[in-house]
Amino acid sequence: MDAWTLRPYRISDLDGILSLIRLVQPHTPYTLQRWTWEYPECPGGPGQAWIAELDGRVISHTGALPFDWHINRRKAKAVLWVDTMTHPEFRHRGLHASMKEMALQAFCASDHSLAYVFPNDKSAGHIAKTQWHPVMKVPHLVRSARPGLRSGKLDGVRVERWDGVSGGIDRLCDSLREAFRFALVRDRAYLSWRYRKKPGDVYLPWAAFRAGELVGYLIYKDYHRADAPAGSHIVDVWTDPEDQDAMAALVRQAVSLSERAGANSLSCWMPRHAPLHGVLREHGFDPDPQDRTFFARVSAAFGGDPDEIRDPANWYITMGDSDVY
């Protein structure tokens, strides 16, 4: 067996980590600026990362980013597993399982209540064999490009471009802390970090107002790849689950933006039990099944019934909650 060493990363490992990421994910430019944004500047606290080293080379890597979540009506820390990869020369030797086990031990010893991950199909098999719970298939909805949807504003709701951080966002976020048992805290600090400061991506924030009060927001993104038709995403959207007019106004705005951009499709992640799922269906979005599964697990710090995480109806997740979009 190769005599590699598994350990937490050090600053001196960064060149090796960046080289590994660029080798494994050549289609996704990854810079030191991106690393700094993702790990040291993470709004929930500095991210953790672990490596496998062999003869001075970084041959495997995994990371975990902490975020504030509303968990059973209180604010607590949860960690998103990200950037798990192994050099092609060292795959199928048990490194993936060893790296995950090292990160899992750190999680169990921490005060983080919850861990979650959106693994690709190659990693999902490893995850499923451990103590992670498969919560749901990622709920992917797609609206194919077709004109004809009225995009005018609804009575009492005004939708306009937004800077993504002002207009009462912290107040809105706090007012919705009981809307779902498990939902990421979408406050000013998080939104600024996620959608204004992320290197290399352009997001368009829009906000819904009623009588001058912020009642919801939408994060929209166009994407263009040489090997795929132009498309667009509703990356994040957040309103009171009972505010059907605000939901509809934001969805119509996204459809209008997508049509003007000439996109082939507009997609969104939205759990089936969330009221917004029904609004999207009413506006021409159809389920597009995919293999990606959302997994979660709890630690001793969770302080509730662990079985609560198994119920998809307890969760609110969007594309922006992952590290993919």
Side-chain angles (χ1 to χ4, degrees):
M1 182 176 179
D2 296 303
W4 49 61
T5 300
L6 278 61
R7 59 173 174 80
Y9 94 101
R10 298 188 286 259
I11 296 297
S12 58
D13 299 317
L14 274 181
D15 285 345
I17 292 172
L18 295 180
S19 295
L20 176 64
I21 294 175
R22 291 164 184 161
L23 173 69
V24 175
Q25 299 178 344
H27 56 286
T28 306
Y30 200 100
T31 63
L32 179 58
Q33 183 185 16
R34 167 67 184 262
W35 171 274
T36 301
W37 168 82
E38 188 173 14
Y39 286 88
E41 296 180 358
C42 185
Q48 295 178 279
W50 300 266
I51 67 163
E53 179 187 33
L54 178 64
D55 298 331
R57 299 169 62 195
V58 176
I59 60 171
S60 191
H61 171 271
T62 194
L65 305 179
F67 296 103
D68 290 326
W69 274 61
H70 286 138
I71 298 176
N72 285 332
R73 301 170 179 80
R74 64 183 179 87
K75 188 180 289 188
K77 292 292 185 185
V79 290
L80 169 63
W81 252 248
V82 296
D83 301 328
T84 298
M85 61 193 69
T86 297
H87 192 289
E89 294 178 11
F90 298 93
R91 292 172 183 167
H92 310 297
R93 304 190 193 183
L95 261 177
H96 186 283
S98 297
M99 296 293 290
K100 284 293 187 184
E101 179 61 28
M102 180 169 53
L104 190 57
Q105 289 177 4
F107 164 69
C108 292
S110 74
D111 61 354
H112 299 149
S113 297
L114 182 71
Y116 58 107
V117 65
F118 299 88
N120 59 32
D121 55 353
K122 294 180 180 179
S123 299
H126 295 281
I127 294 289
K129 294 176 183 177
T130 63
Q131 297 178 42
W132 292 80
H133 303 295
V135 178
M136 67 178 95
K137 291 292 185 182
V138 172
H140 191 225
L141 296 174
V142 177
R143 185 180 193 277
S144 299
R146 56 183 184 274
L149 177 68
R150 182 173 62 86
S151 59
K153 67 180 182 181
L154 298 178
D155 185 39
V157 180
R158 185 182 80 258
V159 177
E160 60 185 48
R161 276 298 304 271
W162 186 49
D163 65 7
V165 295
S166 63
I169 183 58
D170 285 348
R171 184 167 58 252
L172 175 66
C173 179
D174 188 60
S175 74
L176 298 178
R177 67 182 181 276
E178 298 185 11
F180 295 91
R181 286 189 179 275
F182 308 119
L184 195 149
V185 174
R186 291 159 161 80
D187 59 8
R188 178 190 302 260
Y190 171 77
L191 293 179
S192 178
W193 172 83
R194 182 65 176 84
Y195 300 117
R196 297 179 74 192
K197 298 179 180 179
K198 183 181 178 183
D201 286 301
V202 177
Y203 301 96
L204 302 181
W206 291 78
F209 294 91
R210 180 183 290 110
E213 186 79 10
L214 178 71
V215 293
Y217 73 80
L218 160 82
I219 307 295
Y220 171 90
K221 179 184 178 183
D222 289 314
Y223 69 93
H224 304 276
R225 283 175 44 184
D227 60 342
S232 51
H233 301 305
I234 297 175
V235 178
D236 196 1
V237 60
W238 191 231
T239 68
D240 186 317
E242 297 182 0
D243 194 340
Q244 295 280 320
D245 284 349
M247 294 180 207
L250 290 167
V251 170
R252 291 180 183 186
Q253 182 63 48
V255 171
S256 178
L257 291 169
S258 180
E259 290 176 350
R260 281 184 285 178
N264 240 31
S265 62
L266 174 63
S267 61
C268 180
W269 288 4
M270 188 54 52
R272 185 168 59 86
H273 296 86
L276 186 52
H277 187 280
V279 174
L280 289 162
R281 294 300 310 275
E282 290 172 2
H283 285 76
F285 287 75
D286 296 315
D288 180 39
Q290 54 176 284
D291 293 335
R292 188 178 293 269
T293 304
F294 173 60
F295 289 84
R297 63 163 297 152
V298 300
S299 72
F302 179 68
D305 181 355
D307 283 340
E308 290 176 343
I309 68 170
R310 299 174 184 266
D311 186 351
N314 288 336
W315 293 84
Y316 186 85
I317 60 171
T318 67
M319 289 177 170
D321 296 353
S322 75
D323 64 327
V324 178
Y325 294 89

